Amino acid sequence: MGILTSGGDCPGLNAAIRSVAKAALNRYGMKVIGIMDGFRGLVENRTVLLDDRAVSGILNLGGTFLGTSRDKPQKMLMGGRKLDMTETAVQNLRKLQIDCLVCLGGGGTQKNALHLHKEGGVNVLTLPKTIDNDVAGTDTSFGFDTAMGIGAEAIDRLHTTATSHHRIIVCEVMGHNAGWLALGAGIAGGADAILIPEIPYDPAVVAEHLLDRRRSGKRFSIIAVAEGAVSRAGAKARAKENDSRKGRKKDRNGDEEQDGVSPVREPMASRLARELQQLTGTEARVTSLGHVQRGGSPSSADRLLCTLLGTRAAELLAAGTYNVMVAARGGRAVPVALEKIAGLRKVVPPDHDWIKSARMVDTCMGDRA
Ligand code: F6P
């Protein structure tokens, strides 16, 4: 088997590589080849033979020792041009005599793996990874629990300084299209308002909530905001903009990708903090957690999930079950046809119990519900 990690990294990737490889090597006597830097390493034929020693001692290590990239085989920047490198990827897998390619990644990776299967006849098997928790077909993805814990701890810490200074602190949490991380960390950290992409917010509603708190004697407030959250006015403008920039790879700050390198992103929460300071007359500060949430050691829950999903992956490979994602469902690891979930995104449903519970403990979700 070949194994690669693709898309943004997250805590738990090494634990997942370890569990797939250890079970495949020791239990089933397979040969395991690590592919460097995601699909780019596959196209450029950069590999490393993995034995038991190579995958030992990495359970608790953050990142991915194989390296990762956001490249896709069907549209890869090569010598300044974006080319379809699917055929090269398939040929390289043949040369390496790889019977099945195991891909660890998020939503994009599920699509790329299915593409290799459909266009190149490659046997693939995937595991759901992402701190955003937005992979469809699985209850959760590894990396999410760790990132949520980091977010909650940050919000805890912000509480003490916000209280001392009687300030508003806006804490930006990752999650471009899905609000799971901001919602989970916000509830666990006791944020007073939680703003997620699924519920466009009204700054006046948030400000009113903060003023209510002040009137009741609470002189500080913490807002957990997902990086992809938008105001109601912003949501309309964004829809228009998306129409006019179809096909062009522009960043949310309006900057374009240069030679395959995506632009540096500014925290989006600064604008919200300025607005809230103006509307409430209370001093505001901004903290953007950014990649801190993707770094460091995985939580115990993530290590456990990686081991469960990874060993099940090896078991499925040994049985010749391919073209599936190993999903977490009801505490078990089950195969789900890639065809059914690739291209779908799991966002927070507006009637989700987490949202209901947040509202019931007086957390403002930025709307008038
Ligand atoms: O895919 C996970 C994620 O961390 C998102 O939450 C975030 O928008 C994005 O990756 C950041 O990507 P990059 O590391 O490429 O800046």
Side-chain angles (χ1 to χ4, degrees):
M1 57 169 274
I3 185 163
L4 60 78
T5 53
S6 172
D9 75 333
C10 76
L13 279 166
N14 284 326
I17 297 167
R18 167 187 178 268
S19 61
V20 183
K22 274 194 179 260
L25 288 163
N26 304 334
R27 184 92 190 183
Y28 300 109
M30 294 181 202
K31 184 173 172 184
V32 182
I33 296 172
I35 295 159
M36 309 306 293
D37 301 334
F39 293 103
R40 176 161 292 274
L42 176 59
V43 165
E44 294 173 354
N45 208 7
R46 289 186 283 115
T47 61
V48 57
L49 188 64
L50 299 182
D51 58 12
D52 188 72
R53 260 193 90 183
V55 293
S56 291
I58 61 169
L59 173 65
N60 57 346
L61 297 185
T64 160
F65 83 97
L66 289 177
T68 186
S69 70
R70 292 198 183 273
D71 291 292
K72 30 186 146 181
Q74 61 275 30
K75 211 175 177 189
M76 194 170 287
L77 193 74
M78 304 293 290
R81 286 193 307 145
K82 290 237 166 129
L83 301 176
D84 184 351
M85 301 304 289
T86 308
E87 192 46 37
T88 310
V90 175
Q91 289 306 329
N92 287 344
L93 285 168
R94 285 212 184 108
K95 275 186 237 155
L96 291 162
Q97 295 184 305
I98 287 174
D99 296 313
C100 182
L101 179 65
V102 178
C103 305
L104 279 48
T109 303
Q110 313 303 324
K111 280 203 275 186
N112 296 335
L114 184 62
H115 168 84
L116 278 183
H117 167 60
K118 281 180 143 176
E119 301 303 319
V122 176
N123 292 323
V124 293
L125 190 144
T126 66
L127 296 190
K129 148 286 15 175
T130 169
I131 65 163
D132 289 2
N133 194 31
D134 61 351
V135 177
T138 180
D139 293 347
T140 189
S141 48
F142 58 84
F144 174 63
D145 180 77
T146 310
M148 185 166 58
I150 295 169
E153 194 200 327
I155 293 170
D156 275 355
R157 288 178 182 275
L158 291 175
H159 262 95
T160 59
T161 171
T163 318
S164 309
H165 287 268
H166 319 300
R167 280 175 173 157
I168 293 169
I169 300 193
V170 180
C171 177
E172 184 176 295
V173 176
M174 271 195 173
H176 196 37
N177 298 297
W180 296 107
L181 201 50
L183 184 59
I187 293 173
D192 306 299
I194 301 176
L195 309 177
I196 59 175
E198 293 85 344
I199 305 178
Y201 65 87
D202 181 345
V205 170
V206 183
E208 194 50 42
H209 183 74
L210 305 191
L211 288 171
D212 273 352
R213 279 177 52 77
R214 200 162 69 186
R215 283 191 282 268
S216 70
K218 295 169 181 168
R219 296 178 61 204
F220 74 95
S221 291
I222 308 283
I223 293 109
V225 54
E227 60 178 338
V230 274
S231 64
R232 275 165 41 192
K236 282 187 200 146
R238 193 182 276 187
K240 252 196 203 164
E241 231 173 84
N242 284 346
D243 276 352
S244 63
R245 70 159 90 132
K246 259 188 193 131
R248 282 161 67 207
K249 184 129 194 211
K250 269 206 179 182
D251 173 74
R252 63 178 187 215
N253 298 122
D255 299 328
E256 275 185 66
E257 188 181 290
Q258 296 285 328
D259 301 325
V261 179
S262 62
V264 176
R265 289 174 181 159
E266 308 292 340
M268 298 302 281
S270 312
R271 187 175 166 179
L272 174 66
R274 275 199 300 270
E275 259 175 323
L276 292 177
Q277 175 163 306
Q278 209 166 38
L279 289 168
T280 62
T282 307
E283 200 168 58
R285 292 287 185 268
V286 186
T287 294
S288 178
L289 299 184
H291 292 78
V292 168
Q293 291 158 110
R294 293 227 312 250
S297 192
S299 65
S300 309
D302 271 334
R303 295 180 202 187
L304 186 60
L305 179 63
C306 290
T307 308
L308 183 79
L309 299 182
T311 49
R312 184 82 173 109
E315 204 174 32
L316 290 164
L317 284 185
T321 307
Y322 302 131
N323 312 320
V324 293
M325 175 181 81
V326 188
R329 290 206 178 161
R332 307 201 60 208
V334 295
V336 178
L338 262 180
E339 188 87 56
K340 283 201 176 150
I341 54 102
L344 302 179
R345 180 180 288 135
K346 185 182 75 180
V347 294
V348 185
D351 59 347
H352 194 274
D353 278 356
W354 288 11
I355 293 184
K356 191 175 148 201
S357 297
R359 292 193 197 279
M360 286 177 76
V361 292
D362 264 342
T363 309
C364 171
M365 295 298 301
D367 58 354
R368 289 211 183 272

